[in-house]
Amino acid sequence: VSQSRYWSYYMDGTEEKLELDYDGSILDELEDDWEVIEYSSTQIRLKDVSGGNGGTDYLYLSKN
């Protein structure tokens, strides 16, 4: 079974975006184009506004 896992960073107008793709993985719930709202050398904070219900999700990643 082939599974693709990748990420990409790009600019969407004035917004920095991070797109995650974990096709066929238990991490596929994280798939989306996340807006980068803050980052440093040890932490990145992401936000996603759902197109369907208008809810907002946040994802924070940190390095110890």
Side-chain angles (χ1 to χ4, degrees), residues 9-29:
Y9 167 84
Y10 61 95
M11 294 296 294
D12 184 10
T14 60
E15 295 180 346
E16 296 176 276
K17 297 280 188 155
L18 179 68
E19 183 175 352
L20 303 174
D21 185 346
Y22 295 101
D23 188 36
S25 168
I26 59 171
L27 297 175
D28 64 356
E29 288 292 321

Side-chain angles (χ1 to χ4, degrees), residues 32 47-57:
D32 224 321
K47 176 177 86 170
D48 178 57
V49 178
S50 174
N53 63 11
T56 302
D57 295 318

Side-chain angles (χ1 to χ4, degrees), residues 35-61:
E35 178 185 351
V36 179
I37 55 176
E38 184 180 346
Y39 65 91
S40 70
S41 61
T42 59
Q43 188 174 80
I44 184 168
R45 293 177 183 227
L46 308 169
K47 176 177 86 170
D48 178 57
V49 178
S50 174
N53 63 11
T56 302
D57 295 318
Y58 294 92
L59 177 61
Y60 300 156
L61 305 170

